[in-house]
Amino acid sequence: MSDADGRVEGRRGFADLLLDLRVQAGFSQEELADRAGLSVRTIRELEAGRVARPRKDSVRLLAEGLGLRDGDAGRFLAAAGHATVRPVIAVAAPAPTGLRWRGTRPIPDGLVGREDELVELEALLRQNRLVTLVGPGGVGKTELALAAADRFSGADTTVVVVDLTTVQRDAAVPSAILDAFGTAPGTSDLDDVLAGRKPGDLVIVEDNAEHVLDGVATVANRMVRSFPGIGVLVTSRIPLGLPDEVVRRVQVLGVPANDTDYAEIAASPAVEMFVRRAARVRPDFQLTSENATTVARLCQRLDGLPLALELAAARAGSLSVETILTALDDRFRLLSGPRRFGAPHQRTLADTIAWSVDALSDPARQLLYRASMLGSPFTLDAVVGVCTGPPIDAADVPMLLAELVDKSLLQPVLEFEALYGARYKMLETIREHAYAGLSSQDSDLTEFRDRTVAWCSTYVEGLDGAWSSPDRDRRYRAANANSATFEVALERAAELGDWDTAARIVLGFRIAWQYQASVAQSGIQWASAAADNVADKETSGRLLAIAGRLSSLTGDVRAARRHYGEARTLMPPESEMGLVARGGWVSSGSLLLDTVSLAEIPALVDDARAHGDAQRSATVQAICGLALARWGRLPEAKELLLAWAAALSNPGVYPDEIAYMALSRVELELGNLEEARRWAELARDSQASDDPDRTKVAGCLAMVEFQAGKYDQARALLDEADADIRGHRGYFDYLVMLYRSRLARQAKDFEQARLSIRDAVSRLLAEGRVVYLLDVLPEAVAVLHALGQHEQADRLCGQLLAWQRTMDPPMLPTAWEVLQESCARATEASGWPEPNPAESVQRLADDVLTALS
């Protein structure tokens, strides 16, 4: 026979053998295809004898599907032309120019807010042979991988995209890859296609690998170890676990840190994606100042998860954004419309989450359900304390949490990990699904909510004495890391009407709320609610003192004054919390220009010194010193603040950046620049990187640098502080805006100066920090002059000149100096002094806002 006749004879012989074996086994072509993990088309072509030489891996899959063993399997391979000694065959040539991309192309405009990830991923592909993108379902791994491959590809690089969504068996992965190359069924082995490639010639994108992970891992390992010309990019919810693998977790899109700043909302990648997708179904849709707040809240509720944003935006053609946001209470019903493409388990939001959850082991699934009611983020300690019990053993919790992280159902919170320890967060979409699973087990939901109350009650007992301990910051930060879990416990205690337990939790947790600006408001609400519901008056007073402290930190000085004022009537004035309440009342009163507060300072200082606790005595003296400094009593303020500093030599008395900053400000106003710098640097050095008061330290340091003529250093400090304030990671500080205005005036950027000083005035008015307006209004005069509004500037300047001559407190030296520079043409206003200082300065501030608007 000729060679051609021999090939036809061999082809026909294998085809007949395959047909006979399939019929004997009682399988249809469809059934054999399913058992072997091959396509029906491949079976049909093989049995028709139209395949010149069946692929070896396909023949092995067929042998396995037919149940052939040992010798029968070997004879079956030999019939297909795969004897023990493999014949030499031609190596498959790379795809010709013009066919450099095989498979799914990236969607135009498919990526939003991923530029940094794209740059990193392109670099990783150039430096590593195997890269895996990992993340929860719907986070956008596929589009990111396709875009990165597209950016990486060029005239000499072929990209082959392997869609694994329909592959059902690990053993079928090689066949799926060959199909993606476009080879005819049964004509080549994978080795044939991969051999002979030059480095950088080929990138294989294996998409949606999580359900055939072993198969993908086996093939990927062989490809990167045996074929140096190939790069592999995998998308999966789970890493492959290979030694050569570089794993990058794909994060959700950034959402706005707040829902009021239009510029920040517009800059959010999540908002941009929602607006773009909504415009596809409603061409006139755009972000406006009217809908920005609602869009921001919608994106926050959806965690910035691209699939959720896409499905929500699809509803914008028939529903308003307000309606979509309201309907998110049942997000899986709202976002149930199937996409017409993608993996079957990724076509609805519910399917996407359910697929990952259903693939968990039973202990991991139960842990996910139970952890869903802890709030987010939560700690390992909380999980062990609340969520254990059959089928979860406490010793297995770290391993189970690792499983949930690996499968992208939990995310580790890496920010400030050294300070707060290991924390985990759960996307709200995943949390709702898991909470529904726990809720379906009614007794479990009740049991674990009650266990949360018990665990938090025990936890705060361990915080007793933390205020005076050397490791107080560590202990309070560890507590703060469980803020969300404490919220759950307080909600449950309130639901049960157990306000005594709620009060104990609030009192024990009180300091921990201060470490995070974004959760302090919750502390105010719970302290106030518990104070209203407990029977014991002294306990109520202690709770109100906590509400006062947190109100002051978050900027509501009037509420702080009210809480402190009521608290001081409910507790013995010489008790520890009585001193706290009185000190807070004095401090808030000084901010509100209330002279009654100042009258209490001598008695308060005497009672604090007689109290016996060095830490409490020092703290009260520092509070009173700061109040006196605000009122312009600089020598008296310095004396009390230095007494606080001297107390640091006592065991149990620890540095406080607020007192350091007060000393810095006093020294600066007295003209002692180097001393001011020393105290400001001590404030900075005594502070942790996560402290929300770091914004005030930055403002203090910036003031010193500005007065020293170091304007670039001052500007850098202000930029960092401003970013923290806008991101809700720090407390507002008017000095940041005041000195931003001064720097802008120097640079002739008068519009920036106008915006900065307007923000400072409006914020101080809203918060009630009236005394600081005396620092800010002279700068407003200078800004108005710079803007050419000389008539308004001179009128305000005349009023302030009259204030300085007749009213108490006076402007501090730095503010008075600015005013004098701006008032060469102004005439002192008549009608002063006025009877109410607070009303007077607020009236001047209102006039300034009108002029600057």
Side-chain angles (χ1 to χ4, degrees):
M1 289 189 299
S2 68
D3 289 345
D5 291 337
R7 284 195 296 274
V8 170
E9 180 69 21
R11 193 163 62 228
R12 185 66 262 162
F14 177 74
D16 291 341
L17 177 61
L18 174 59
L19 177 61
D20 289 343
L21 291 171
R22 178 175 64 78
V23 171
Q24 290 172 20
F27 299 143
S28 67
Q29 288 182 338
E30 290 78 7
E31 288 170 331
L32 179 57
D34 183 64
R35 290 174 64 89
L38 300 172
S39 67
V40 176
R41 176 189 168 211
T42 296
I43 305 295
R44 188 178 299 121
E45 294 289 303
L46 288 170
E47 288 188 352
R50 289 194 285 268
V51 178
R53 185 172 182 275
R55 298 197 298 249
K56 188 173 184 179
D57 53 357
S58 297
V59 176
R60 285 174 172 159
L61 288 171
L62 285 169
E64 185 179 338
L66 290 166
L68 302 180
R69 295 289 180 269
D70 303 329
D72 290 339
R75 284 187 286 275
F76 187 66
L77 281 166
H82 298 290
T84 305
V85 179
R86 182 177 173 182
V88 177
I89 59 172
V91 175
T97 302
L99 295 175
R100 289 293 179 182
W101 189 286
R102 292 187 177 275
T104 307
R105 278 279 191 180
I107 299 174
D109 197 30
L111 280 186
V112 176
R114 299 288 196 193
E115 185 59 34
D116 290 345
E117 289 97 324
L118 269 178
V119 170
E120 181 192 20
L121 192 50
E122 181 184 4
L124 286 175
L125 287 172
R126 296 189 187 284
Q127 298 166 9
N128 302 276
R129 302 285 311 290
L130 174 60
V131 178
T132 302
L133 295 182
V134 175
V139 81
K141 301 183 294 293
T142 296
E143 285 306 317
L144 179 58
L146 294 178
D150 189 38
R151 179 174 290 198
F152 177 82
S153 64
D156 298 323
T157 304
T158 300
V159 176
V160 177
V161 181
V162 185
D163 185 356
L164 297 168
T165 55
T166 59
V167 177
Q168 299 301 314
R169 301 177 62 201
D170 291 314
V173 170
S175 295
I177 296 173
L178 284 166
D179 288 343
F181 272 92
T183 61
T187 58
S188 303
D189 280 341
L190 188 56
D191 289 3
D192 301 338
V193 174
L194 300 180
R197 304 277 179 176
K198 297 178 181 179
D201 177 61
L202 177 64
V203 173
I204 299 176
V205 180
E206 299 186 63
D207 191 29
N208 294 300
E210 55 271 350
H211 60 296
V212 282
L213 205 65
D214 288 342
V216 171
T218 299
V219 175
N221 187 57
R222 192 179 74 189
M223 286 194 290
V224 299
R225 291 297 181 93
S226 303
F227 302 98
I230 297 170
V232 181
L233 177 59
V234 180
T235 73
S236 174
R237 300 186 193 185
I238 311 167
L240 302 181
L242 294 174
D244 295 320
E245 179 184 29
V246 175
V247 177
R248 284 296 179 271
R249 295 196 175 273
V250 181
Q251 303 297 329
V252 294
L253 294 175
V255 300
N258 64 69
D259 55 23
T260 56
D261 187 325
Y262 180 83
E264 183 172 338
I265 293 170
S268 159
V271 169
E272 183 182 355
M273 180 174 186
F274 177 83
V275 171
R276 286 192 190 182
R277 297 298 183 266
R280 290 180 178 178
V281 296
R282 186 174 145 192
D284 64 336
F285 186 86
Q286 57 184 329
L287 187 71
T288 66
S289 56
E290 289 76 21
N291 68 14
T293 292
T294 305
V295 172
R297 291 174 181 170
L298 175 66
C299 293
Q300 289 167 346
R301 288 284 308 277
L302 293 174
D303 300 306
L305 186 68
L307 175 60
L309 293 168
E310 179 185 305
L311 293 172
R315 297 296 191 192
S318 56
L319 300 174
S320 69
V321 181
E322 291 79 5
T323 302
I324 296 172
L325 177 60
T326 302
L328 281 183
D329 289 339
D330 189 0
R331 70 182 63 202
F332 294 113
R333 182 186 296 273
L334 173 71
L335 307 180
S336 60
R339 300 191 298 174
R340 304 301 179 190
F341 64 93
H345 57 275
Q346 289 187 342
R347 293 182 182 174
T348 71
L349 190 61
D351 288 343
T352 297
I353 305 304
W355 189 92
S356 292
V357 174
D358 291 344
L360 294 170
S361 63
D362 185 50
R365 183 166 51 254
Q366 288 300 321
L367 185 64
L368 183 74
Y369 286 170
R370 296 173 188 181
S372 70
M373 58 88 205
L374 291 177
S376 183
F378 54 84
T379 67
L380 173 65
D381 287 342
V383 175
V384 172
V386 177
C387 300
T388 51
I392 301 168
D393 187 277
D396 294 333
V397 167
M399 176 189 67
L400 295 173
L401 288 173
E403 179 182 346
L404 294 174
V405 170
D406 283 346
K407 296 185 177 178
S408 302
L409 290 165
L410 284 184
Q411 295 173 294
V413 181
L414 301 178
E415 188 177 39
F416 305 129
E417 185 177 23
L419 293 169
Y420 288 82
R423 293 179 290 166
Y424 304 88
K425 64 182 178 181
M426 194 181 297
L427 296 180
E428 185 64 19
T429 302
I430 295 173
R431 194 200 69 78
E432 284 195 18
H433 179 94
Y435 193 80
L438 183 66
S439 300
S440 66
Q441 305 164 180
D442 293 331
S443 60
D444 281 0
L445 178 59
T446 301
E447 175 190 351
F448 289 108
R449 292 184 72 204
D450 289 343
R451 287 176 64 174
T452 305
V453 176
W455 182 77
C456 289
S457 298
T458 302
Y459 189 102
V460 295
E461 291 175 4
L463 290 175
D464 284 347
W467 176 254
S468 300
S469 67
D471 63 343
R472 67 174 182 175
D473 283 341
R474 180 192 62 78
R475 292 169 66 181
Y476 284 132
R477 282 191 180 86
N480 179 273
N482 286 298
S483 296
T485 301
F486 275 82
E487 185 88 10
V488 172
L490 288 166
E491 286 175 357
R492 178 59 174 164
E495 183 182 305
L496 295 171
D498 187 0
W499 287 104
D500 287 339
T501 297
R504 285 197 303 274
I505 292 174
V506 171
L507 289 168
F509 197 68
R510 65 187 187 278
I511 306 298
W513 269 309
Q514 300 177 22
Y515 281 82
Q516 196 173 348
S518 59
V519 301
Q521 193 65 44
S522 174
I524 297 169
Q525 294 167 357
W526 284 114
S528 301
D532 289 341
N533 287 279
V534 294
D536 183 72
K537 285 187 177 181
E538 186 169 346
T539 299
S540 180
R542 297 175 69 197
L543 291 163
L544 288 169
I546 294 168
R549 169 62 175 157
L550 294 172
S551 294
S552 180
L553 285 173
T554 54
D556 192 346
V557 179
R558 296 179 185 90
R561 175 77 162 169
R562 185 176 67 253
H563 291 313
Y564 280 133
E566 188 175 351
R568 65 199 283 269
T569 67
L570 297 173
M571 293 180 290
E574 299 85 6
S575 67
E576 180 175 353
M577 290 302 289
L579 291 172
V580 169
R582 292 167 66 194
W585 188 75
V586 165
S587 179
S588 56
S590 69
L591 289 166
L592 292 165
L593 290 179
D594 184 346
T595 56
V596 177
S597 301
L598 293 180
E600 180 147 341
I601 288 179
L604 177 55
V605 170
D606 287 342
D607 289 343
R609 287 172 174 169
H611 178 65
D613 184 291
Q615 174 70 63
R616 182 55 57 203
S617 173
T619 300
V620 169
Q621 290 182 85
I623 289 171
C624 292
L626 181 54
L628 289 170
R630 291 171 183 145
W631 213 269
R633 310 287 200 269
L634 299 176
E636 300 166 67
K638 182 175 179 179
E639 181 182 349
L640 283 177
L641 289 166
L642 288 175
W644 167 82
L648 293 175
S649 61
N650 294 311
V653 181
Y654 302 103
D656 185 324
E657 68 275 0
I658 300 299
Y660 280 141
M661 283 189 285
L663 272 166
S664 177
R665 181 67 186 272
V666 168
E667 294 288 12
L668 190 69
E669 298 296 345
L670 291 172
N672 304 322
L673 184 61
E674 287 310 310
E675 278 298 288
R677 182 187 302 282
R678 182 172 72 87
W679 292 118
E681 289 174 349
L682 282 170
R684 179 196 60 199
D685 296 342
S686 69
Q687 199 174 47
S689 58
D690 68 320
D691 191 331
D693 265 329
R694 65 186 176 276
T695 51
K696 298 180 181 180
V697 172
C700 178
L701 281 164
M703 182 170 58
V704 173
E705 299 295 4
F706 183 91
Q707 296 300 127
K710 298 181 178 180
Y711 303 125
D712 289 341
Q713 291 93 322
R715 185 174 291 106
L717 287 162
L718 296 177
D719 288 344
E720 184 178 346
D722 192 37
D724 280 343
I725 293 168
R726 294 183 183 280
H728 292 290
R729 294 178 54 201
Y731 296 125
F732 173 80
D733 179 45
Y734 79 99
L735 288 175
V736 172
M737 308 312 295
L738 173 61
Y739 279 87
R740 186 174 288 285
S741 174
R742 291 182 178 175
L743 286 165
R745 276 199 299 118
Q746 277 196 338
K748 308 298 183 184
D749 186 354
F750 301 135
E751 177 61 16
Q752 177 62 60
R754 182 185 73 84
L755 293 173
S756 297
I757 207 65
R758 188 189 66 182
D759 285 351
V761 172
S762 60
R763 183 69 177 262
L764 290 173
L765 276 173
E767 294 184 349
R769 300 178 190 267
V770 180
V771 71
Y772 294 140
L773 288 168
L774 294 174
D775 288 343
V776 171
L777 291 177
E779 174 65 16
V781 173
V783 171
L784 288 170
H785 275 308
L787 293 170
Q789 297 175 234
H790 302 297
E791 183 179 346
Q792 295 97 319
D794 287 341
R795 186 183 309 116
L796 175 61
C797 189
Q799 305 254 11
L800 291 174
L801 288 172
W803 176 288
Q804 188 72 354
R805 186 177 64 82
T806 63
M807 302 291 286
D808 192 25
M811 282 175 274
L812 294 173
T814 53
W816 176 237
E817 181 181 349
V818 171
L819 186 70
Q820 289 178 303
E821 292 171 356
S822 305
C823 287
R825 300 177 303 179
T827 302
E828 184 178 311
S830 60
W832 293 75
E834 294 193 356
N836 189 316
E839 286 184 4
S840 300
V841 76
Q842 288 179 87
R843 174 176 54 78
L844 296 178
D846 287 335
D847 291 343
V848 164
L849 287 181
T850 301
L852 291 173
S853 296

